[in-house]
């Protein structure tokens, strides 16, 4: 399994305020992905001049902001199995959110930290 992306992700029902803060810190929007999962989330990927990234997700269902580590991998099944073997639980139960270009879910460690596990489909998948 190869990790292709590894950076912080902030999930909030007030993403606009967080995006504005990161813009003041020198980050720019580099990619926006709407209608994630069941269509209720929007992911804004931001990057600064040094190449640092942060993802900010608008999700009205969260009660308070949640910070996660976004980990994109080339082999979804291997990564999911590795995390579950270390006691991680899919916070969506058995559900895996999918879009035409990717799939993902949030995985909670036994100690409480979160990894947003994702896989972007290649043309041959």
């Amino acid at each position: 399994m190869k990790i292709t992306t590894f950076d912080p992700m902030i999930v909030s029902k007030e993403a606009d305020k967080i995006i504005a803060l990161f813009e003041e810190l020198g980050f720019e929007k580099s990619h926006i992905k709407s209608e994630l999962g069941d269509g209720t989330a929007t992911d804004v990927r931001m990057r600064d001049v040094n190449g640092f990234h942060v993802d900010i997700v608008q999700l009205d269902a969260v009660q308070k902001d949640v910070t996660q580590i976004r980990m994109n991998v080339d082999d979804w099944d291997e990564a999911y199995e590795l995390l579950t073997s270390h006691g991680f639980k899919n916070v969506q139960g058995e559900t895996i959110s999918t879009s035409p270009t990717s799939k993902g879910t949030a995985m909670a460690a036994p100690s409480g930290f979160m990894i947003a596990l994702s896989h972007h489909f290649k043309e041959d998948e």
Side-chain angles (χ1 to χ4, degrees):
M1 171 194 69
K2 178 181 173 188
I3 296 172
T4 58
T5 304
F6 196 84
D7 55 64
M9 173 183 274
I10 302 167
V11 182
S12 177
K13 60 182 166 187
E14 297 187 37
D16 289 341
K17 291 180 181 179
I18 298 169
I19 291 167
L21 167 65
F22 276 88
E23 286 174 332
E24 287 186 46
L25 292 170
F27 285 76
E28 296 180 359
K29 295 175 187 173
S30 62
H31 182 72
I32 299 173
K33 189 170 185 179
S34 298
E35 300 182 11
L36 299 173
D38 62 1
T40 61
T42 299
D43 183 350
V44 176
R45 185 153 175 77
M46 301 184 80
R47 181 179 181 183
D48 78 351
V49 296
N50 298 305
F52 294 116
H53 290 92
V54 62
D55 282 61
I56 301 169
V57 176
Q58 172 70 41
L59 183 63
D60 293 338
V62 295
Q63 297 301 311
K64 62 180 184 172
D65 293 352
V66 177
T67 304
Q68 304 178 20
I69 299 168
R70 178 178 181 263
M71 185 171 77
N72 189 42
V73 296
D74 67 341
D75 187 325
W76 168 266
D77 294 330
E78 184 180 1
Y80 192 86
E81 184 178 312
L82 178 92
L83 292 175
T84 56
S85 75
H86 285 273
F88 281 76
K89 302 288 184 201
N90 180 347
V91 301
Q92 299 184 100
E94 297 299 315
T95 301
I96 305 296
S97 297
T98 60
S99 78
T101 59
S102 65
K103 67 179 174 179
T105 193
M107 302 289 290
S111 63
F113 78 91
M114 304 277 286
I115 292 181
L117 181 61
S118 67
H119 171 74
H120 286 87
F121 302 132
K122 295 174 182 69
E123 288 184 27
D124 60 342
E125 290 183 90

